[in-house]
Amino acid sequence: MRRIKSQILSNKRLSKELHLITFTSEKIEEDLLPGNFLHILVSSSLDPFLRRPFSIFDISEGTISVLYRVIGKGTGIMKDLCKGDEIDIIGPLGNSYPIDNSNNIYCIAGGTGIASIHFLIEYIKQNHPTKQITLCWGTKTIHEFILMNEFRLISDKIIFSTEDGSYGNEGLITDFLPIFKDNSVIYACGPDGMLHILKKKPIDLPMFFSVEKRMACGVGVCLGCAVKMNNDTYKYTCIDGPVFNANELKYE
Amino acid sequence: MRRIKSQILSNKRLSKELHLITFTSEKIEEDLLPGNFLHILVSSSLDPFLRRPFSIFDISEGTISVLYRVIGKGTGIMKDLCKGDEIDIIGPLGNSYPIDNSNNIYCIAGGTGIASIHFLIEYIKQNHPTKQITLCWGTKTIHEFILMNEFRLISDKIIFSTEDGSYGNEGLITDFLPIFKDNSVIYACGPDGMLHILKKKPIDLPMFFSVEKRMACGVGVCLGCAVKMNNDTYKYTCIDGPVFNANELKYE
Amino acid sequence: MNKLAIKIGNLTFNSPVIAASGTFGFGLEYKEILNLNDFGAIITKGITTKRREGNPLPRIIETPCGLINSIGLANPGVEEFIKQYGDIYKIFPTNVIVNVAGDNANDFINIIKRIEHLNVIGYELNLSCPNVSDGGMILSEDPNDVYILIKTIRNITNKLIISKLTPNLCNTTELARASEEAGCDAISLVNTYLGMSIDIETGYSRIGKDYGGYSGPAIKPMALKLVYDVSNTVDIPIIGIGGISSGSDAIEFLIAGASLIQVGSIIFRNPQIAFEINTFIENYMDRKSINNLNDIIGTFKGSI
Amino acid sequence: MNKLAIKIGNLTFNSPVIAASGTFGFGLEYKEILNLNDFGAIITKGITTKRREGNPLPRIIETPCGLINSIGLANPGVEEFIKQYGDIYKIFPTNVIVNVAGDNANDFINIIKRIEHLNVIGYELNLSCPNVSDGGMILSEDPNDVYILIKTIRNITNKLIISKLTPNLCNTTELARASEEAGCDAISLVNTYLGMSIDIETGYSRIGKDYGGYSGPAIKPMALKLVYDVSNTVDIPIIGIGGISSGSDAIEFLIAGASLIQVGSIIFRNPQIAFEINTFIENYMDRKSINNLNDIIGTFKGSI
Ligand SMILES: Cc1cc2nc3c(=O)[nH]c(=O)nc-3n(C[C@H](O)[C@H](O)[C@H](O)COP(=O)(O)OP(=O)(O)OC[C@H]3O[C@@H](n4cnc5c(N)ncnc54)[C@H](O)[C@@H]3O)c2cc1C
Ligand SMILES: Cc1cc2nc3c(=O)[nH]c(=O)nc-3n(C[C@H](O)[C@H](O)[C@H](O)COP(=O)(O)OP(=O)(O)OC[C@H]3O[C@@H](n4cnc5c(N)ncnc54)[C@H](O)[C@@H]3O)c2cc1C
Ligand SMILES: Cc1cc2nc3c(=O)[nH]c(=O)nc-3n(C[C@H](O)[C@H](O)[C@H](O)COP(=O)(O)O)c2cc1C
Ligand SMILES: Cc1cc2nc3c(=O)[nH]c(=O)nc-3n(C[C@H](O)[C@H](O)[C@H](O)COP(=O)(O)O)c2cc1C
Ligand code: FES
Ligand code: FES
């Protein structure tokens, strides 16, 4: 974990709501694993007060990219940042997707969940090139399939779905999952609703969810980002997660 | 009085602390008189919460310029605004320098007080070209004499002073005032300390001060910007001022 | 029909948004840049028997997401007020409520008697100004005193009586109940919180008194809680106040139990806030197929 | 000599800046990005007799310039705490104070007896957590109860006893006086204010309970006022808390009468705040030729 002042290198709008921001990493990227997140302070004003957690979308030497959806105060400010502006970053934080011996990797991404899945796929392609990767990617509408060519390049197979049917299958991605092969592992990142549905499916494979909870500290001191476990105790997204074994999690 | 969303046209640093911002005026400039001020909201964040009052430095068709010193939260944000960014403006507010029949105009400016004095001199030159204008201009140091050529062009005479002696007379401008001619009027804008000294001088000419007080509303509803009058009552900078007859004002 | 209309007794407010006392002068100052009837009512600056010059300077200091004021009830006094505004209020575009600030019960009664003939719909009793040392604070501490005061006022007027409470005492709910029992028509809360700010260069207070009244978005979570508590205590309508700065904030107060809301400090920043809140609430009602404001009021469901 | 050093009794704090309970875990979480001895002390998360899972979700909600929390004293319980941290505190780089949260007097006494052998300099008694329904709030309302509680604790320990008070009661000064009379070594205040936030789309609370504890820069003006009031009431040192987010804020609390200060919510935003405050105070003292922190404390001059 380090705290750095990072310079914006670029900040592009990719779709109506999705933006990709790239900034200097002061070597933090060397310690980053897929699933890790950064805690970003976007403005020196006290409103908004807290940092914002974001997964890693991509890294390269000296830079990190984050894919974000503009939804509120913090991301509203983020989208107006220009090249040369400074942001204040703490990271890497959180755990990472555990990589086992399975030959087949199924990645299920909903919405901005695609961000950490992108980094995961790239990571696996680089470090475990023989594994077969199937990406199941659901969005609301066609325009949210950003950087499609790149995803086609790094995945072996992609299943698309949109809620409005504008591209791929019409409906939720959880309705169009492939028949999973043996010797597989599933990684999923997306809205709670999606994870909830996945969890209820009779899937007999190791399955890991990356979850999103409201955070204050991001390092385990505030106890704000609690997630309920099956045994009714709580774990904490920022230190025990964000990636959890789906078996552990309780959805009510 | 109107409220407009204004686009930044340029925002230049003129010295270490002084910046000149120019923005679209939506025709507000047609109603502006020297001494008037604008109440500017520089950010959509709730911190800073209040608008900031600024005098007019210059107008031209469709644009207004404000000269400002970076001192705190609001001006700190202002200096980072870029071409195309929006600010929210209420104006014109306040009264203006009263222009009488005097032939000789003495303008005394300290610090950013030069802003409203600039507009005043320009206005007089344009509307009363026969009047003789003497500018007495004091700053901390040489670098704060911004746009000097322009001032030389519009004033008939300029007396300079700097506190550190780096240009003009060394000391406070109030120590280097000329011998005032008859049939004259004095306009002064600057820090309270300067106005206080001026007020104590045995000057037997009409004298008008533009004063600065903390403001919340800028329109006379909050009663925050009170100024003490000689008879121990209060008047309000935003509606009764910012320009007051020096006789009326009480300095303790 | 105007969806935003709401009734208190036989009085109609064409919007639940009211301009708070001390933040809207006497109603005319902003008229060039807004429609006065975007407000369901406007409340005047607090009026005292005699003219008050107000507190020493400085009177306003900004803090993160709020401000501290030490105005000290500067106002022209009741006689000058009548002279200046009596005629104007005869044809005012929206309801006018006079905020009355007495040092003691007699003051309140005298002021109300003097202005009873004006075309104003009622009185908001400032039982809580933090900025006057001999002021409301003492009077307002004891529920019995408040009961007697309001009872007496009830005897001299049929107009709306609103009891405006401070958040700085811990018996707010008791004061509200006493007000209700005495025949008060509505409770408005909160007035400002006590706040302090020190200039570290000089060691002096950054306002003209040791402390002042704190308002703005920063106080909203606490004000909302208090409005909720009081709305569970009394049956008369509550007027929610405290840091409201958006349509969403306004709806939170309605859900918590307020029938009307007041906007204060935010006006300084955004004078057109009433219009924005009205538009927001209308869209919200459309989206949720709600036809009557009353179907929002007091619908807080607690925690999930 | 370290200019920032300050003594309470025979204990030395190498900086007046302390990490507030609940915002710094058990002291190790941030160790990779800060020097622990930038803090004069760190205060642990509140410890209860038994493990507590904490409140339902969500537990944190941001508000303008602040946040509302509903953590509900989640903690491993005193036994697990001793197991996990007993050894670590033997060689901790700065003073450790344990925040103790009892449901009743027995709890407080049992916990303190169990941890008395640890290498910690003292206990901060959480008399005021708003997030536990059967918790401190009741115990802490009555100055007599507080007096008896602290008196009893005084009998079992010579370590530092700090009474942490809530701003949500109106008898804060009385509670402070009762604490002092019972032999308490210092008063810390404020704990969080009660605040509420409603999700207008669902009508439910935006946190796991109807209301939570409000903290951050938004509460500073009120907390400062309360610290000033209490410092005028008692002679024991005050530890000022509430929205401190800069060196300047910290000095305001010192001038108002606090001998030490705590940083809470700001840590989440700026973990290195203690270093920044220390540097700021040092420069301030240099600039003003002040050699001893005590020459700042309690020097408020009132209004000009
Ligand atoms: C581990 C983790 C990884 C994430 N990765 C990404 C990512 O790669 N791309 C992306 O677009 N978003 C991601 N999110 C969600 C992102 O943090 C929120 O969208 C963002 O905080 C919203 O901030 P805002 O100020 O625009 O919204 P506001 O609604 O103004 O925020 C208000 C408060 O709610 C919190 N909040 C709002 N939505 C969420 C959410 N979904 N999860 C957690 N906190 C939230 C904010 O942090 C803030 O404290 C991630 C969240 C977590 C926990
Ligand atoms: C009528 C009028 C005309 C002015 N014209 C100019 C001008 O042309 N150029 C210029 O640089 N400055 C001018 N000022 C001063 C300017 O308003 C302040 O410098 C500015 O508000 C500082 O804002 P800040 O957020 O950077 O400072 P902060 O210190 O962060 O501001 C905190 C609060 O104090 C207020 N404040 C701070 N300094 C002053 C001040 N000197 N006068 C009034 N309020 C203050 C702010 O408005 C804000 O409410 C004028 C002030 C008035 C009243
Ligand atoms: C500058 C100022 C002056 C005020 N004057 C009065 C007053 O005269 N009478 C009164 O009852 N309340 C007065 N108030 C309190 C407001 O009416 C309101 O209760 C308070 O500001 C909280 O609301 P807000 O957070 O929306 O501002 C004043 C507030 C401010 C900021
Ligand atoms: C997330 C969180 C958890 C807290 N937990 C505790 C606690 O366990 N015990 C306690 O006495 N105070 C607790 N507090 C209160 C803080 O110690 C502090 O008194 C309060 O937040 C005000 O300071 P601040 O405005 O600097 O945050 C907690 C505060 C927060 C924000
Ligand atoms: S965000 Fe604070 S414990 Fe996870
Ligand atoms: S700034 Fe509000 S009355 Fe002048």
Side-chain angles (χ1 to χ4, degrees):
Chain A
M1 185 200 317
R2 279 166 54 210
R3 180 183 180 194
I4 60 166
K5 305 271 176 207
S6 189
Q7 305 260 319
I8 311 293
L9 298 170
S10 72
N11 193 8
K12 290 183 282 217
R13 183 168 161 176
L14 301 182
S15 76
K16 189 158 165 256
E17 292 173 345
L18 295 176
H19 297 239
L20 186 71
I21 189 167
T22 304
F23 40 84
T24 58
S25 59
E26 315 288 328
K27 303 209 167 149
I28 278 192
E29 92 280 8
E30 294 175 1
D31 303 322
L32 284 175
L33 289 172
N36 287 168
F37 67 96
L38 304 175
H39 219 17
I40 304 186
L41 186 62
V42 296
S43 149
S44 65
S45 160
L46 293 171
D47 171 47
F49 182 62
L50 296 172
R51 290 170 180 270
R52 303 309 199 229
F54 292 97
S55 304
I56 318 299
F57 178 79
D58 205 359
I59 58 171
S60 66
E61 211 192 307
T63 77
I64 302 175
S65 302
V66 160
L67 177 77
Y68 63 100
R69 182 189 301 279
V70 175
I71 61 158
K73 271 186 189 174
T75 50
I77 292 172
M78 241 165 117
K79 76 167 190 319
D80 291 334
L81 293 174
C82 308
K83 191 178 163 166
D85 286 348
E86 242 185 27
I87 50 177
D88 173 338
I89 291 179
I90 295 179
L93 298 172
N95 68 358
S96 57
Y97 292 103
I99 299 195
D100 62 12
N101 295 321
S102 317
N103 273 334
N104 303 298
I105 312 279
Y106 294 93
C107 293
I108 308 176
T112 55
I114 194 67
S116 73
I117 294 291
H118 177 270
F119 185 27
L120 174 65
I121 297 179
E122 276 211 327
Y123 182 88
I124 293 175
K125 271 288 145 195
Q126 215 158 63
N127 296 284
H128 309 274
T130 61
K131 298 198 186 220
Q132 288 292 305
I133 300 176
T134 305
L135 169 61
C136 310
W137 186 2
T139 66
K140 286 228 170 67
T141 182
I142 180 169
H143 309 293
E144 295 186 16
F145 292 118
I146 44 90
L147 306 175
M148 274 230 242
N149 290 339
E150 194 185 328
F151 279 100
R152 287 213 165 91
L153 227 63
I154 57 179
S155 321
D156 297 292
K157 190 181 169 199
I158 310 188
I159 298 171
F160 296 101
S161 80
T162 52
E163 287 178 34
D164 65 1
S166 53
Y167 190 84
N169 303 288
E170 174 168 349
L172 299 172
I173 191 64
T174 43
D175 290 332
F176 305 99
L177 299 178
I179 294 163
F180 299 116
K181 299 191 182 144
D182 288 349
N183 195 8
S184 299
V185 57
I186 300 176
Y187 304 111
C189 185
D192 253 3
M194 177 186 108
L195 301 178
H196 195 168
I197 295 174
L198 272 180
K199 161 99 183 178
K200 282 189 305 191
K201 293 205 180 246
I203 296 173
D204 199 23
L205 287 171
M207 183 156 69
F208 297 92
F209 290 174
S210 176
V211 307
E212 291 185 2
K213 289 282 171 252
R214 280 164 196 263
M215 294 184 172
C217 69
V219 307
V221 304
C222 76
L223 309 184
C225 64
V227 218
K228 202 160 208 173
M229 296 293 116
N230 255 335
N231 62 359
D232 281 334
T233 63
Y234 289 106
K235 284 197 171 177
Y236 294 94
T237 310
C238 67
I239 42 167
D240 303 315
V243 181
F244 292 93
N245 189 320
N247 283 333
E248 284 188 287
L249 297 170
K250 177 159 194 167
Y251 285 90
E252 291 158 310
Chain B
M1 185 200 314
R2 279 164 56 210
R3 181 182 179 192
I4 60 167
K5 305 271 176 204
S6 190
Q7 305 260 319
I8 312 292
L9 298 170
S10 72
N11 193 9
K12 290 183 284 215
R13 182 167 161 176
L14 301 184
S15 77
K16 189 158 165 256
E17 291 173 347
L18 295 176
H19 297 240
L20 187 69
I21 190 167
T22 305
F23 40 85
T24 58
S25 60
E26 314 289 328
K27 303 211 167 146
I28 277 192
E29 92 280 9
E30 294 175 1
D31 303 322
L32 283 176
L33 289 172
N36 287 168
F37 67 95
L38 304 175
H39 218 19
I40 305 186
L41 186 61
V42 297
S43 148
S44 64
S45 160
L46 292 171
D47 171 48
F49 182 62
L50 296 172
R51 290 170 180 269
R52 300 316 199 224
F54 292 97
S55 305
I56 318 298
F57 179 79
D58 205 358
I59 58 172
S60 65
E61 212 192 306
T63 77
I64 301 175
S65 300
V66 159
L67 177 78
Y68 63 98
R69 181 190 303 277
V70 175
I71 60 158
K73 272 187 190 174
T75 50
I77 293 173
M78 241 165 118
K79 77 167 190 319
D80 291 333
L81 294 174
C82 306
K83 191 177 164 166
D85 286 348
E86 242 185 27
I87 49 177
D88 173 339
I89 291 180
I90 295 179
L93 297 172
N95 67 0
S96 58
Y97 291 103
I99 300 198
D100 62 12
N101 294 322
S102 318
N103 274 333
N104 303 299
I105 312 280
Y106 294 93
C107 292
I108 308 175
T112 57
I114 195 67
S116 73
I117 293 292
H118 177 269
F119 185 25
L120 174 66
I121 297 179
E122 276 212 329
Y123 181 88
I124 293 176
K125 271 288 145 199
Q126 213 159 65
N127 295 284
H128 310 271
T130 61
K131 298 197 187 220
Q132 289 292 306
I133 300 176
T134 306
L135 168 61
C136 310
W137 186 2
T139 66
K140 287 230 170 67
T141 181
I142 181 168
H143 309 293
E144 295 186 17
F145 291 118
I146 45 91
L147 306 175
M148 274 231 243
N149 290 339
E150 195 184 328
F151 278 100
R152 288 216 164 91
L153 227 62
I154 57 178
S155 323
D156 297 294
K157 189 181 172 199
I158 310 189
I159 298 171
F160 296 101
S161 79
T162 52
E163 287 178 35
D164 64 1
S166 53
Y167 190 83
N169 303 290
E170 175 168 349
L172 299 173
I173 191 64
T174 43
D175 290 332
F176 304 99
L177 300 178
I179 294 163
F180 299 115
K181 299 193 183 141
D182 287 348
N183 195 8
S184 299
V185 58
I186 301 175
Y187 304 111
C189 185
D192 254 2
M194 177 187 108
L195 301 178
H196 195 167
I197 295 174
L198 272 180
K199 160 99 184 178
K200 282 190 304 192
K201 292 205 180 248
I203 295 173
D204 199 23
L205 287 170
M207 183 155 70
F208 298 92
F209 290 174
S210 176
V211 307
E212 292 184 3
K213 290 280 171 252
R214 280 164 195 264
M215 294 185 172
C217 69
V219 306
V221 304
C222 75
L223 309 184
C225 63
V227 217
K228 202 161 210 171
M229 296 292 115
N230 256 334
N231 62 359
D232 281 334
T233 63
Y234 289 107
K235 284 196 172 178
Y236 294 94
T237 310
C238 67
I239 42 167
D240 304 315
V243 181
F244 291 93
N245 189 320
N247 284 333
E248 283 188 286
L249 297 171
K250 178 157 193 169
Y251 284 90
E252 290 157 313
Chain C
M1 228 286 290
N2 172 8
K3 271 188 161 181
L4 294 178
I6 179 114
K7 289 192 114 187
I8 299 232
N10 55 0
L11 289 167
T12 302
F13 296 79
N14 58 358
S15 152
V17 185
I18 296 176
S21 178
T23 64
F24 207 67
F26 294 97
L28 295 177
E29 292 83 347
Y30 278 113
K31 70 174 189 306
E32 294 169 39
I33 54 172
L34 51 77
N35 285 324
L36 285 166
N37 58 18
D38 286 337
F39 290 103
I42 66 115
I43 304 185
T44 68
K45 176 72 192 164
I47 299 294
T48 52
T49 43
K50 297 260 168 313
R51 175 184 173 90
R52 288 178 62 101
E53 286 302 323
N55 285 349
L57 315 183
R59 291 187 179 175
I60 293 272
I61 180 88
E62 191 191 55
T63 59
C65 294
L67 59 109
I68 305 176
N69 88 74
S70 169
I71 306 298
L73 276 178
N75 82 93
V78 64
E79 294 308 328
E80 184 62 22
F81 166 69
I82 296 171
K83 238 183 262 167
Q84 282 186 36
Y85 297 99
D87 283 346
I88 288 166
Y89 293 157
K90 283 187 187 157
I91 49 160
F92 206 73
T94 189
N95 294 319
V96 176
I97 294 168
V98 181
N99 183 278
V100 181
D103 279 349
N104 51 51
N106 269 343
D107 278 1
F108 278 99
I109 291 157
N110 290 336
I111 295 170
I112 290 175
K113 280 190 177 158
R114 279 296 292 130
I115 58 179
E116 180 70 0
H117 68 287
L118 298 186
N119 184 28
V120 302
I121 64 164
Y123 314 108
E124 183 179 60
L125 312 179
N126 182 347
L127 300 173
S128 50
C129 183
N131 286 329
V132 285
S133 45
D134 53 349
M137 203 53 119
I138 296 139
L139 182 69
S140 68
E141 268 180 23
D142 183 343
N144 280 328
D145 293 350
V146 168
Y147 177 86
I148 292 168
L149 174 68
I150 293 179
K151 192 97 190 169
T152 321
I153 297 174
R154 185 75 292 169
N155 283 333
I156 59 169
T157 182
N158 289 319
K159 292 188 178 176
L160 199 66
I161 303 177
I162 304 168
S163 166
K164 182 165 181 181
L165 300 178
T166 169
N168 299 306
L169 299 170
C170 282
N171 59 348
T172 315
T173 48
E174 286 160 52
L175 294 171
R177 210 181 284 117
S179 303
E180 178 177 42
E181 282 167 12
C184 192
D185 299 297
I187 306 287
S188 64
L189 79 169
V190 301
N191 209 318
T192 52
Y193 285 79
L194 298 181
M196 218 168 131
S197 178
I198 299 174
D199 181 338
I200 65 164
E201 295 309 323
T202 65
Y204 285 108
S205 171
R206 290 174 75 211
I207 44 175
K209 297 255 172 178
D210 287 5
Y211 54 88
Y214 184 38
S215 62
I219 69 169
K220 202 203 84 181
M222 301 175 292
L224 188 65
K225 162 84 168 60
L226 216 50
V227 163
Y228 175 64
D229 288 347
V230 171
S231 82
N232 284 329
T233 307
V234 296
D235 292 325
I236 51 176
I238 312 286
I239 308 177
I241 324 171
I244 295 173
S245 72
S246 66
S248 170
D249 288 347
I251 292 176
E252 278 190 77
F253 276 83
L254 299 178
I255 293 176
S259 299
L260 298 147
I261 59 103
Q262 292 182 26
V263 283
S265 311
I266 190 66
I267 293 179
F268 307 149
R269 182 180 158 101
N270 178 4
Q272 285 142 349
I273 185 69
F275 175 79
E276 283 177 25
I277 294 178
N278 290 339
T279 311
F280 187 94
I281 299 181
E282 260 167 356
N283 290 341
Y284 176 87
M285 292 174 79
D286 286 350
R287 186 154 50 82
K288 302 220 155 216
S289 308
I290 298 171
N291 292 311
N292 191 318
L293 265 190
N294 285 300
D295 297 340
I296 302 176
I297 296 165
T299 56
F300 180 55
K301 296 197 195 130
S303 56
I304 298 190
Chain D
M1 228 286 291
N2 173 7
K3 271 190 162 183
L4 294 178
I6 179 113
K7 287 193 117 187
I8 300 232
N10 56 359
L11 290 168
T12 301
F13 296 79
N14 58 358
S15 151
V17 185
I18 296 175
S21 177
T23 64
F24 207 68
F26 294 97
L28 295 177
E29 293 83 348
Y30 279 113
K31 69 174 189 307
E32 293 169 40
I33 54 174
L34 50 77
N35 284 324
L36 284 165
N37 59 17
D38 287 337
F39 290 103
I42 66 116
I43 304 186
T44 67
K45 175 73 192 161
I47 299 293
T48 53
T49 43
K50 297 264 168 313
R51 174 185 174 89
R52 288 179 61 101
E53 285 301 324
N55 285 349
L57 316 183
R59 291 186 180 175
I60 293 272
I61 180 89
E62 190 191 56
T63 59
C65 293
L67 61 109
I68 305 176
N69 87 74
S70 169
I71 305 299
L73 275 179
N75 82 92
V78 64
E79 296 307 328
E80 184 63 25
F81 165 70
I82 295 171
K83 236 184 263 166
Q84 281 185 35
Y85 297 99
D87 283 347
I88 287 166
Y89 294 156
K90 283 188 186 154
I91 48 160
F92 207 72
T94 189
N95 294 319
V96 176
I97 294 168
V98 181
N99 184 277
V100 181
D103 280 349
N104 51 54
N106 270 343
D107 278 1
F108 278 100
I109 292 157
N110 289 336
I111 295 170
I112 290 175
K113 281 190 177 157
R114 279 296 292 130
I115 58 181
E116 181 69 1
H117 68 288
L118 298 187
N119 184 30
V120 301
I121 63 163
Y123 314 109
E124 183 181 60
L125 312 178
N126 182 347
L127 300 174
S128 50
C129 183
N131 286 327
V132 285
S133 45
D134 54 347
M137 201 54 115
I138 296 139
L139 182 70
S140 67
E141 269 180 22
D142 184 343
N144 281 328
D145 293 350
V146 168
Y147 177 86
I148 292 167
L149 173 69
I150 293 177
K151 192 98 191 168
T152 319
I153 297 174
R154 184 74 295 168
N155 283 331
I156 59 170
T157 184
N158 289 320
K159 292 188 179 176
L160 200 65
I161 303 176
I162 304 168
S163 165
K164 182 166 182 182
L165 301 179
T166 169
N168 299 304
L169 298 170
C170 281
N171 58 349
T172 315
T173 48
E174 287 160 53
L175 294 171
R177 209 181 285 118
S179 303
E180 178 177 40
E181 281 166 12
C184 192
D185 299 296
I187 306 286
S188 65
L189 79 166
V190 302
N191 209 316
T192 53
Y193 285 78
L194 298 181
M196 218 169 130
S197 178
I198 300 174
D199 182 337
I200 66 166
E201 295 309 322
T202 64
Y204 285 108
S205 171
R206 290 174 77 209
I207 44 175
K209 297 257 172 177
D210 288 5
Y211 53 88
Y214 185 37
S215 63
I219 70 169
K220 201 203 84 181
M222 300 174 294
L224 187 64
K225 162 86 168 62
L226 217 51
V227 163
Y228 176 63
D229 288 348
V230 171
S231 82
N232 284 330
T233 309
V234 297
D235 292 325
I236 50 176
I238 312 285
I239 308 176
I241 323 171
I244 295 173
S245 71
S246 66
S248 170
D249 288 347
I251 293 176
E252 278 189 78
F253 276 83
L254 298 178
I255 293 176
S259 299
L260 298 147
I261 59 102
Q262 291 182 27
V263 284
S265 310
I266 190 65
I267 293 179
F268 307 148
R269 182 180 157 103
N270 177 4
Q272 285 143 349
I273 185 69
F275 176 77
E276 284 177 25
I277 293 178
N278 290 339
T279 310
F280 187 96
I281 298 181
E282 259 167 356
N283 291 341
Y284 175 89
M285 291 174 78
D286 287 349
R287 186 154 50 81
K288 302 220 156 217
S289 309
I290 299 171
N291 292 313
N292 191 318
L293 265 190
N294 284 303
D295 297 339
I296 302 176
I297 296 164
T299 56
F300 180 55
K301 296 195 196 133
S303 56
I304 297 187

